Amino acid sequence: MWSRSTLVLTLAALATLACGFTSGRPCDSTHPWVTRLLAHAGPTGPPPRPDTLSAELRAAFTMGGRVPFEQLYIDDSDKGRGTEFEFDADTMHAFVEQAAKELSAQIRPRRPVAGIRVAFRDAVAANKALFVGAHVVVFGTTEPWAEALALAAGAAHVTTVEYNRVLIADGRVTVTSPRALALQVANGSAPQFDVAVSLSSFDHDGLGRYGDPLGADADLDSCDAVRCVLGPRGVFFLALPQGADVVVFNMHRRYGPVRLPRMLESWRVLAQFGVDERLREAAVAWRQSSYEPVLVLVDADRARVAETAAASSPTKLSEL
């Protein structure tokens, strides 16, 4: 039904979606993503070290021993004080200009995250019409290259959700915190975005590295909560480290056959970019570079509605 680079739904299905058909947990104050963040006023010191974890918490992080546990301690919270990243108007203009060149000429970016960036660039280029005039939310950033690609593709506005203090001098970009967004979900005033983006960010959630509250299932909760801020026709671009399952405390998680299906429980994969099955299956040590394809997702229940109406005349989602 869906090709590698084209998102296909039907007009009949989208009419049904607009009636509020939803999946997963309730998008209100009871959602675990909301309760975890609202109960956490902020870090009071450096992140907890691996050797301070209780046996119960370690068992939770490893899914009862099914996921290997490794240790690599990083403090990106500046001992709980919080870190700050600033991008002035000239820098942001250069980011967007470079992103536009990448989209138009398929220029390979010269960045440490080139693999994931190329995959996201290809996903945006293949579905550029989704971004035109869209309000986009980006979960997690320390360098706004994803925001720049969205703006270069024609996004009207981008909201960045980040634990750190990020200052971006561009009137088309707003920065907020996860806690502030969770509060909006709790009181029913959350914005409804057209496109959501999370590129190598949710794998860190709940490990405390960025001053966030500990939570063994925080990554699962964050991924599910994206539904709460997506409009009825919203599309979610997600990248996670993939390979053999492992939790590296407090660096990140890597997702394989044990935990990846849990991350995607609320979602249906429409397309994938940057896929290389050899890398997915390779016996890569957890200290080595990650394999992070970009998945294009919609709410799983909404996808099932679309499939039911598949006999109708198919229409590109981006053309509706």
Side-chain angles (χ1 to χ4, degrees), residues 49-60:
R49 292 186 171 274
D51 56 7
T52 67
L53 294 183
S54 66
E56 292 78 13
L57 193 54
R58 180 162 172 159

Side-chain angles (χ1 to χ4, degrees), residues 26-40 178-179 181-187 221-222 225 228:
C27 290
D28 55 26
S29 60
T30 66
H31 194 289
W33 177 76
V34 173
T35 57
R36 182 177 66 94
L37 289 172
L38 295 189
H40 180 69
R179 193 174 192 275
L181 187 60
L183 184 59
Q184 289 180 297
V185 172
N187 63 29
D221 297 337
S222 296
C228 301

Side-chain angles (χ1 to χ4, degrees), residues 57 124 286:
L57 193 54
V124 172
W286 56 266

Side-chain angles (χ1 to χ4, degrees), residues 174-194:
T174 299
V175 180
T176 190
S177 68
R179 193 174 192 275
L181 187 60
L183 184 59
Q184 289 180 297
V185 172
N187 63 29
S189 65
Q192 297 293 286
F193 298 98
D194 304 300

Side-chain angles (χ1 to χ4, degrees), residues 292-318:
E292 299 178 84
V294 173
L295 310 182
V296 185
L297 311 172
V298 292
D299 181 284
D301 283 344
R302 292 172 177 173
R304 282 190 285 272
V305 172
E307 288 173 342
T308 301
S312 310
S313 53
T315 304
K316 285 185 182 179
L317 177 60
S318 58

Side-chain angles (χ1 to χ4, degrees), residues 1-319:
M1 180 177 175
W2 292 294
S3 69
R4 173 183 177 276
S5 60
T6 303
L7 308 183
V8 180
L9 291 174
T10 68
L11 283 169
L14 285 169
T16 303
L17 304 188
C19 295
F21 197 80
T22 59
S23 68
R25 305 179 181 97
C27 290
D28 55 26
S29 60
T30 66
H31 194 289
W33 177 76
V34 173
T35 57
R36 182 177 66 94
L37 289 172
L38 295 189
H40 180 69
T44 57
R49 292 186 171 274
D51 56 7
T52 67
L53 294 183
S54 66
E56 292 78 13
L57 193 54
R58 180 162 172 159
F61 274 110
T62 63
M63 300 178 69
R66 298 171 65 201
V67 174
F69 185 91
E70 302 289 351
Q71 301 181 29
L72 182 60
Y73 181 78
I74 302 172
D75 180 4
D76 276 324
S77 74
D78 189 20
K79 298 181 179 179
R81 293 187 291 266
T83 52
E84 185 171 297
F85 302 88
E86 184 172 359
F87 303 90
D88 60 25
D90 290 341
T91 300
M92 196 59 194
H93 176 78
F95 268 71
V96 176
E97 190 174 62
Q98 172 66 15
K101 291 178 180 177
E102 292 174 20
L103 286 173
S104 62
Q106 302 289 282
I107 298 172
R108 191 174 187 86
R110 296 186 295 274
R111 298 283 177 183
V113 289
I116 188 174
R117 181 163 172 172
V118 168
F120 183 57
R121 178 206 64 192
D122 290 349
V124 172
N127 297 284
K128 190 174 178 180
L130 289 173
F131 289 83
V132 177
H135 193 172
V136 178
V137 60
V138 176
F139 290 91
T141 192
T142 55
E143 186 178 85
W145 58 268
E147 289 86 342
L149 277 165
L151 291 171
H157 198 86
V158 179
T159 297
T160 297
V161 183
E162 172 57 46
Y163 287 106
N164 293 296
R165 291 187 296 272
V166 180
L167 306 176
I168 301 175
D170 189 310
R172 298 169 295 176
V173 180
T174 299
V175 180
T176 190
S177 68
R179 193 174 192 275
L181 187 60
L183 184 59
Q184 289 180 297
V185 172
N187 63 29
S189 65
Q192 297 293 286
F193 298 98
D194 304 300
V195 176
V197 179
S198 175
L199 306 175
S200 191
S201 59
F202 288 162
D203 53 294
H204 304 290
D205 273 13
L207 300 177
R209 171 178 169 179
Y210 294 97
D212 52 309
L214 289 186
D217 289 339
D219 55 334
L220 307 180
D221 297 337
S222 296
C223 197
D224 180 78
V226 174
R227 298 178 304 99
C228 301
V229 296
L230 267 185
R233 301 178 182 180
V235 178
F236 179 24
F237 293 78
L238 172 69
L240 299 163
Q242 292 192 31
D245 286 280
V246 66
V247 55
V248 184
F249 196 92
N250 66 351
M251 180 186 175
H252 74 161
R253 302 175 183 84
R254 188 171 64 198
Y255 298 84
V258 176
R259 198 164 184 85
L260 184 58
R262 292 288 312 279
M263 282 293 279
L264 300 178
E265 280 179 347
S266 299
W267 303 97
R268 175 67 58 84
V269 179
L270 302 187
Q272 301 182 64
F273 295 83
V275 173
D276 188 331
E277 293 299 335
R278 295 170 300 176
L279 293 176
R280 193 196 308 274
E281 301 299 328
V284 178
W286 56 266
R287 287 182 179 273
Q288 293 179 244
S289 298
S290 294
Y291 163 60
E292 299 178 84
V294 173
L295 310 182
V296 185
L297 311 172
V298 292
D299 181 284
D301 283 344
R302 292 172 177 173
R304 282 190 285 272
V305 172
E307 288 173 342
T308 301
S312 310
S313 53
T315 304
K316 285 185 182 179
L317 177 60
S318 58
E319 292 176 354

